[in-house]
Amino acid sequence: MKRNKSLSVTTVIFFTFMTVYSAWNDLYSDMHHLENSKQIEDQLQHLGEVDAIIAELQKERGLTAIYNTDPTESFAALLADQHQQTSKILEQFSKALDLSDLHIKRSLIQQNTKIDHVNPSQIYTQYTQLITELIRRSKTSLFNTDNTEIKDSLIIYNLLKNAQEHASQLQTKVGVYLASETLADYNYQEILVLYTIYQHLTAKVQENQSSSVHPSLQEMKEESDAHQSFAVIQNIINRSLQNITVTPLKWFELSTSTVKYIHDIADFNANLIQTNALHTREAAKSSMIKHLLFWMGVVFTLIIIFVIAIKRSQEMLRGEHLLENYQDAIDYSTIVSKANPKGIITYVNRAFCEISGYSEEELLNRPHNIVRHSDMPKEVFQVMWDNLNTGKKWNGIVKNLRKDGTAYWVDASISPIYDEKGRLIEYIAIRRDITDMILLNEEIKDTQRELIYRMGEAVESRSKESGHHIQRVAHYSQLLAQLAGLSDEECEIIFAASTMHDIGKISTPDSILLKAGPLTEEEWMVMKTHAEIGYKILQGSNRPLLKVAATVAYEHHEHYDGNGYPRGIKGDAISIYGRIVAIADVFDALLTDRIYKKAWPIEEITAYLQAQSNRQFDPKLIALFVNNADQFVEISNRFEEKQINL
């Protein structure tokens, strides 16, 4: 009898502990939601203050650039007023934000504007760097909340702020042109690139923004000031300069109204985020109160049960039943499986069956490779088993295969379970579904690749004979990289990066780029600058794709023997990416018609490439290329109406 009482007391104590622990978890979850909502509100206040400063600096940048081009009294007065307004905003928020470095940098810029020999473009660049730094300060994590509406609004907000900055840069560039009445090719290309990126960003906003949300970018386009602003930009892009009748001052008024409209749309999205955060906080408060009242009642009930359990051992069954319910609730919230020491599945919960598409009967007594995806390297599982066999836990991201053939990703933690004598009993795996996060990251990468490709295509479109040049060069480069033994990731990077190899030609005048005859010595020197210009456009990024793109733009005209340009480096000093794209670029140039020449026969091309082995080209890569020439010709045929036979 004493033994039964002791067992009952132990059971009730354990049940009480689990109940309090569950109550604490519920309260902790509510506290987390409250804290998260407060952080979002604080971030929004910070964003609003920084964005107000950015808006004033953008106007100051535009006025400064136009005034440096057309120093009239009207612009001098506007600029002086804007300096006062910007200083007022900075003073207003200096207590809440650390703006000491901003004050110093802005003062230096204003001092530089008073120096006669300073290039106006340098002042524009300094303002842009200052604004970019502020934009970077205002960035906030897109995934620090479980609220989907807040996530979506944060994505739209960041897209709108980027669109606002590109619209502001367009305001400045177009204003400088109207003030100078001169449109150089370089300025035209800057306006074209800025407008293309702006269009892409606004398209992404319209794609994600609900049609019921107002104000919208579509409504902005119908506004008179915005309509006139974009009409001026469109006339510049179409080179219909004779249709532009607005003065620089009128342009600044119209474009300022347009940029402010974008700023107002972004503020509206920020207000949506704030409203959602407020609702979340109020819901968390209400939930916390309910949990406190509920668990106070539960604890009181458990105390009564504890007293009764001393006298009535049968209450132990009730406690065990409730405990099983709590365990079921935990089991239901995660993806769980167990396996025996040989790795054979002995248990799966409902979540495992739902995400994999298999029934419990189909999974039990089977190894876990029933859901293994072929993309997962064998080395990952080797490391996993090495850890488990030595008594260590293993954690990692695993790509799995559903029964219907589709993929899903999980963050898995696997632990070996031992008995009291240290003998291995089983393995337990707890997983969290991260498929949405993985797919979102892939979408972001795809967007980056598409933007880079379209920028390269925009440059190539100026050359009427190039056709599908960048597509072919990308596929040639990827194939040659595969033949050279580069990793799959490197092959994907060079495929995207090679499309930007001639981005520097954005500054090459049409008179040289489209010239049908031979170039003069002076024209050739101008043409050769495109490699270094392309490098300067792309350098400075920490992204692997842009770093490789900058290298390719810089080195694709270097020769293996050191007689190339712009730096005259040779051998392995030229990166493998530059050596690969150099061959792909020349092969496509020889294989296709150009303004200045006809296409060569494939036999003459391979002979030329072999002759230039160890001179212009890497001999190992040339050997791989020539031995697999039929594959490169097949790529050319896919993107060219004229078929080529070996």
Side-chain angles (χ1 to χ4, degrees), residues 404-538:
D404 64 5
T406 59
Y408 66 97
W409 287 261
V410 294
D411 184 2
S413 296
I414 305 177
S415 301
I417 306 299
Y418 299 90
D419 63 13
E420 68 278 5
K421 295 182 179 180
R423 293 175 298 192
L424 179 65
I425 301 175
E426 61 183 3
Y427 299 102
I428 183 168
I430 299 176
R431 304 167 183 84
R432 180 169 58 91
D433 183 11
I434 58 170
T435 304
D436 290 343
M437 185 184 300
I438 294 293
L439 294 178
L440 179 58
N441 286 335
E442 288 298 320
E443 181 180 355
I444 293 173
K445 290 180 181 179
D446 289 342
T447 301
Q448 291 176 340
R449 295 190 189 100
E450 180 181 355
L451 184 58
I452 285 178
Y453 175 79
R454 293 193 180 279
M455 288 177 67
E457 193 173 44
V459 174
E460 290 296 337
S461 67
R462 295 177 59 203
S463 177
K464 299 179 180 178
E465 285 78 22
S466 61
H468 298 286
H469 173 64
I470 64 170
Q471 291 180 328
R472 294 192 296 267
V473 168
H475 284 278
Y476 297 154
S477 299
Q478 184 183 44
L479 174 57
L480 189 52
Q482 291 170 345
L483 295 172
L486 272 65
S487 67
D488 292 343
E489 182 180 0
E490 290 177 306
C491 292
E492 290 182 6
I493 288 176
I494 198 172
F495 176 82
S498 62
T499 63
M500 300 287 285
H501 69 280
D502 276 338
I503 186 66
K505 288 183 180 179
I506 196 172
S507 66
T508 305
D510 287 348
S511 59
I512 296 176
L513 188 64
L514 304 179
K515 186 174 181 179
L519 299 179
T520 65
E521 183 65 24
E522 292 181 353
E523 290 172 333
W524 177 239
M525 293 303 294
V526 173
M527 174 64 81
K528 288 167 65 175
T529 62
H530 81 274
E532 188 167 0
I533 290 173
Y535 173 72
K536 289 181 178 178
I537 291 173
L538 298 171

Side-chain angles (χ1 to χ4, degrees), residues 246-303:
V246 298
T247 63
L249 183 60
K250 182 62 177 176
W251 161 254
F252 189 80
E253 293 174 356
L254 294 173
S255 55
T256 298
S257 175
T258 303
V259 173
K260 184 179 182 302
Y261 203 105
I262 301 173
H263 177 77
D264 291 342
I265 297 176
D267 282 348
F268 181 81
N269 275 272
N271 290 334
L272 284 180
I273 299 171
Q274 190 169 23
T275 300
N276 286 329
L278 181 61
H279 289 167
T280 301
R281 186 170 65 172
E282 294 301 322
K285 285 182 179 178
S286 176
S287 178
M288 181 179 290
I289 293 172
K290 291 178 180 178
H291 280 131
L292 284 171
L293 294 174
F294 173 76
W295 289 115
M296 285 175 63
V298 170
V299 170
F300 179 76
T301 303
L302 289 174
I303 292 174

